[in-house]
Amino acid sequence: MPDRNPPSTSSSPESESDVEDRSIAKLVVLSLTLVLAAAIGLWFFYSEDQESPVTEVHQAQAPHLDVDPQETPNVMEFREEARERGIIFTHCNGAQGQKLLPETMGSGAAFLDFDGDGDQDLMLVNSAPWGEEQRLSGPTQAFFVNVGGRFVDRTKEVGLALCFYGMGVTVGDYDGDGRPDLFVTAVGDNHLFRNVDGNRFEEVTDVAGVGGGDHWSTGAAFLDHDKDGDLDLFVLNYVVWSAKIDLAQDFSLGSLARAFGPPTAFAGEQPFFYENLGGGRFREIGESIGLHVTNAATKVAVGKSLALSLTDFNQDGHIDIVVANDTVRNFAFKNTGKGSFEEVGISLGLAFDENGNARGAMGMDTARFKNDSASAIAVGNFANEMTAFYVSDDPLDPLFIDEATAVGIGAPSRDSLSFGLLFFDGDLDGFSDLAVANGHVEPDISRVQASQSHAQAFDIFRNNKGRFQRLRGEDIEKKFVGRGLAAADIDGDGDIDLLATANGGRPRLFINNQQGGRSLRLDLRLEDGKRLPWGATVEISTEAGRQFRRLGVSGSYLSFSEQILTFGLGTMKVAHEVRITWPDGKVQSIRTLSAGFHRVVQGQ
């Protein structure tokens, strides 16, 4: 809209030559003011009926933060429609009363266009009973093909009717054939599934060498850390765990029966980093490239890792990794640009809370939430610990400060135990909102803490130019034991829908019914028109400022979101100054792109 407060151009009403004419001058000024006001009123009256010409918008200024979020009403509305849209699934956590720690931690989900038809299909990770005999006929992983916004179970047909204790999932085209492949983490061997012509998945774990053995793996991500053109694989491990170690300890809630044990009772684990050697094979090199963090005194692994997000926190053009650790300090791995990493979480301010304490970190994601140079890293934490919202205003020399309270997320999140967490523009106003899946780990927690419950409400925090306000709604406030969280436009209407998994229960599919906002959705491809440019970045100019997205950032908890980049345009019909930086460093500029879906091929 045009500026409603044009600067005044009137001069002083006093005459310097004749003081006696003061009253006459005042009358003249008053008359002129009334005429001017009438003219401005007419101008506003007519201009209100005219849409601002989008061709006049070139580069928006950084948004002003001094705004009360109550001034702008929420315009998002979500309806839960998992069953109505064909997602019939119940997560099996294997619980039989022993309260083994893995039973309360899973599981994840992933959106991907498996068959190349343009719709986002869905993988739901399942866990399993503990007995080997029970697994012979036990519940399997689940895969649903998207058919026009509804889902059809194709688990058996695609080759994923397998029973194992799954935890998380990530997606990437590791063999470069243009088809998205699946990597599923587990308690025990992990699994790599190659996409065969968009028709089925073939397990290639042993050939690839990425099984991992007898470990408890959690979050994972594909990335090209050395810019050699193929995707490597980073896999987090949680704690050194076995049923024997777990049952040997007396975990309880006071005088109540046995409870789930805390991660503090188990030793930490080092992650895996698999270098892609080509030909479908990998080799593990985590320690040699600086990804093992060891306690100098005890020589034991520090990390108890659950989630990660890929970012470039110092904007040097190399992908860095931030890791959420449960009850120990978080990690930030700076990419040296020489094929290795340096752990700098403490010096960046990301390791602890403001009092120097470690928190129970679960899920995490990154964004430029104010549409300027400031970066945010959000971390979902344990109950009675606020969701962390680390912000750095200096992209070249970053230092992160937890601004959760200042941005409006701190107090509302304190009572929640937050797992899946991701940024998305739910109302398409150009600012990244925050969605969080919550749920306690202890079913009996309300018996000892009246303020806590096992099932908890889903959270969506609307971003109003850098300040957040919790969204209300009947469906999102219905409680469940939330864990994984993934985002995609599953019905092709241009806005982002959300899928949250439930531990030991059915998933929730929150369909976005926002009205009025337009979006620009970009499907980026390399020069061959097939492969995704992992790590490519896009910046665009809109009324909301400079928006930024990166392809392949992973994030959330045990989950993976679609890799179509979505930018909210508000009421604008076009985006301006679309700037794409491809993985090889080449920059492609597009002056304008109309709202809607576009496939952009490098160099075209």
Side-chain angles (χ1 to χ4, degrees), residues 327-339:
T327 70
V328 297
R329 61 184 172 94
N330 298 323
F331 298 150
F333 292 105
K334 182 177 72 173
N335 191 326
T336 67
K338 300 177 181 179

Side-chain angles (χ1 to χ4, degrees), residues 414-456:
R414 185 182 293 277
D415 289 338
S416 301
L417 200 168
S418 301
F419 278 88
L421 174 153
L422 57 82
F423 286 102
F424 77 119
D425 187 356
D427 53 6
L428 301 180
D429 68 346
F431 289 93
S432 294
D433 310 302
L434 185 67
V436 190
N438 305 305
H440 210 283
V441 297
E442 178 54 60
D444 297 320
I445 190 61
S446 61
R447 298 174 63 182
V448 294
Q449 292 186 37
S451 64
Q452 290 295 316
S453 62
H454 189 211
Q456 299 181 0

